Amino acid sequence: MTYFEKIKTLPIKEKAVIMGIETSCDETAVAIIKDGREILADEIISSATEHVKFGGVVPEIASRMHTTAILKATKTALEKANLTLDDIDAFAVTEGSGLLGALLVGVSFAKSLAFSCNKPLVPVSHIRGHIAASYLADKGLKPPFVTILCSGGHTAIIAVKDYYDFKVYGSTIDDAVGEAFDKVARVLKLSYPGGPNVERLAKEGQNVVPLPKMLKNYQGSEFDFSYSGLKTAVINYVHNKQEKGEQINPADVACSFQHAAIDVLIEKALKVVNLTGYKTLTLSGGVGANGYLREALQKAVKDKDIKLVIPEKRYCTDNAAMIGAEGYLQYLKGNFADLDLNAKAVIPLSQK
Ligand code: KG4
Ligand code: ZN
């Protein structure tokens, strides 16, 4: 019997322990999740400091760092959960979207574990993983709900109709919100990672720089976003001032950009909540760690019949617990991969 033939004969257990493996960018992460909701271990080894001098993630460096960190992260996760590989029911791994070389480290590692332990290999979409982080934040959370997906690669308002059935109401037509934070950080000469540094600076500023309204005469979905225009408006503002020899207040620029980038996310998400009638709103993705967004959302739902689920900051940015949580859902469906699983640079939002 081949590996895959053997795997298909295994019973699917509702009470299952899943190892999640995430290597799509600069975090080498391994987590162990029980029954899709309980975090038994959650290790993250970040190579962020290696990338600072380059102003952004260098894919080659990220891949090499994953290679050296992944075994350590796995051993530590097992130790902290007080488990051995025999206790793991399935190995879930991010297959995309992300940096190909980086993803391949996790995919190859997960394949070798699955093969040697004779357990299922479960491919997971990074984006679905971000959304599944809310199941860890609120153990009672069940679809339907609306989520604001805001990461370095994606921006969308999504209705999670069921664990496996999603409807994308609007998404970005160009840059993602996190990408805009990172680019604005560069214009303001802030170091990598840009998002948290823009947030820090914005705290000292005021929302006084006039920035254009997003997608003013746009004919597409009213829930779509365009962060490229906003980013360009910030760049033009800074350059025009510099050409005239006028001073800018970087903190005001950061604060005004942050308002413009975030307020529109909340506004459109609330419209989708109204439209769907769903009573729960969740936050997914790295920009979800932004303090202004988290506070503004709390204020926006105050006095409204909307339940808010905001994962801890650690579970908004990249982690493996979310991959284990989504991996559990895919495991229950028997969505297993064979050993020819490949990494994918892009997985569309609508695809599982
Ligand atoms: O979800 P994530 O960790 O990785 C992707 O899947 O892309 O998101 C990373 C993005 C980066 O663009 C980063 O600048 C942004 O999330 N980010 C933030 C904050 N923390 C991370 N943006 C604004 N404020 C933050 N505090
Ligand atoms: Zn991510």
Side-chain angles (χ1 to χ4, degrees):
M1 246 203 267
T2 65
Y3 158 78
F4 204 51
E5 283 164 352
K6 265 187 262 172
I7 292 314
K8 283 193 279 186
T9 65
L10 295 176
I12 291 179
K13 304 197 248 171
E14 201 169 311
K15 293 210 164 295
V17 177
I18 310 289
M19 178 175 281
I21 298 172
E22 155 65 39
T23 63
S24 69
C25 194
D26 58 346
E27 266 97 23
T28 313
V30 177
I32 301 174
I33 304 298
K34 192 176 161 197
D35 308 339
R37 299 277 176 164
E38 193 187 333
I39 302 170
L40 300 183
D42 167 35
E43 286 306 296
I44 301 180
I45 301 176
S46 174
S47 64
T49 51
E50 299 294 319
H51 306 286
V52 171
K53 57 179 175 287
F54 301 103
V57 177
V58 182
E60 186 65 27
I61 296 177
S63 306
R64 275 188 249 157
M65 298 299 286
H66 287 314
T67 308
T68 54
I70 197 154
L71 190 59
K72 186 172 177 221
T74 307
K75 280 184 173 166
T76 313
L78 286 167
E79 270 165 32
K80 287 196 181 164
N82 201 17
L83 296 176
T84 69
L85 280 175
D86 287 341
D87 300 312
I88 306 295
D89 293 305
F91 295 91
V93 63
T94 306
E95 62 166 336
S97 310
L99 303 170
L100 262 185
L103 288 164
L104 280 169
V105 178
V107 166
S108 307
F109 189 74
K111 272 186 205 179
S112 60
L113 287 177
F115 177 68
S116 56
C117 299
N118 267 314
K119 295 284 171 62
L121 172 67
V122 182
V124 170
S125 149
H126 183 80
I127 291 309
R128 294 267 171 135
H130 271 303
I131 297 169
S134 290
Y135 298 126
L136 300 169
D138 178 348
K139 291 187 176 32
L141 174 67
K142 289 192 176 91
F145 57 86
V146 174
T147 193
I148 302 176
L149 170 65
C150 49
S151 70
H154 291 86
T155 309
I157 308 295
I158 300 174
V160 179
K161 301 198 298 192
D162 173 66
Y163 288 108
Y164 306 96
D165 189 8
F166 291 48
K167 179 171 175 181
V168 179
Y169 273 83
S171 59
T172 181
I173 59 167
D174 40 54
D175 292 356
V177 57
E179 201 178 345
F181 265 92
D182 295 336
K183 288 178 178 165
V184 165
R186 232 171 274 170
V187 177
L188 297 177
K189 304 201 166 43
L190 300 172
S191 64
Y192 170 84
N197 287 330
V198 170
E199 180 186 353
R200 223 164 283 137
L201 184 61
K203 285 197 184 110
E204 295 157 26
Q206 288 182 316
N207 180 16
V208 289
V209 175
L211 292 169
K213 197 168 161 50
M214 194 178 277
L215 293 173
K216 221 167 163 195
N217 299 311
Y218 178 64
Q219 303 293 315
S221 162
E222 62 171 311
F223 304 116
D224 282 346
F225 302 90
S226 165
Y227 281 98
S228 171
L230 179 59
K231 166 204 72 187
T232 308
V234 173
I235 294 172
N236 288 344
Y237 172 83
V238 173
H239 287 172
N240 286 342
K241 288 275 181 192
Q242 281 167 347
E243 266 173 24
K244 288 186 204 154
E246 293 174 14
Q247 290 285 322
I248 62 153
N249 180 339
D252 286 348
V253 176
C255 180
S256 307
F257 162 75
Q258 184 169 261
H259 268 88
I262 301 282
D263 293 353
V264 67
L265 279 173
I266 298 175
E267 184 194 313
K268 294 191 186 204
L270 290 181
K271 279 190 187 164
V272 174
V273 168
N274 269 336
L275 193 70
T276 55
Y278 296 170
K279 298 282 181 218
T280 307
L281 177 61
T282 79
L283 198 50
S284 326
V287 180
N290 182 278
Y292 170 71
L293 169 56
R294 299 166 78 90
E295 274 172 36
L297 254 185
Q298 310 263 19
K299 279 188 207 145
V301 303
K302 202 166 170 265
D303 306 325
K304 290 197 176 74
D305 183 21
I306 301 173
K307 180 179 162 189
L308 205 52
V309 177
I310 302 185
E312 271 175 49
K313 292 184 182 184
R314 179 182 173 91
Y315 299 111
C316 289
T317 49
D318 289 349
N319 66 87
M322 68 185 199
I323 302 303
E326 175 62 17
Y328 171 75
L329 295 174
Q330 298 300 331
Y331 165 84
L332 290 182
K333 279 270 178 188
N335 287 336
F336 306 152
D338 203 344
L339 298 171
D340 58 357
L341 175 68
N342 204 351
K344 298 171 184 70
V346 178
I347 296 183
L349 274 183
S350 52
Q351 203 177 309
K352 68 144 190 70

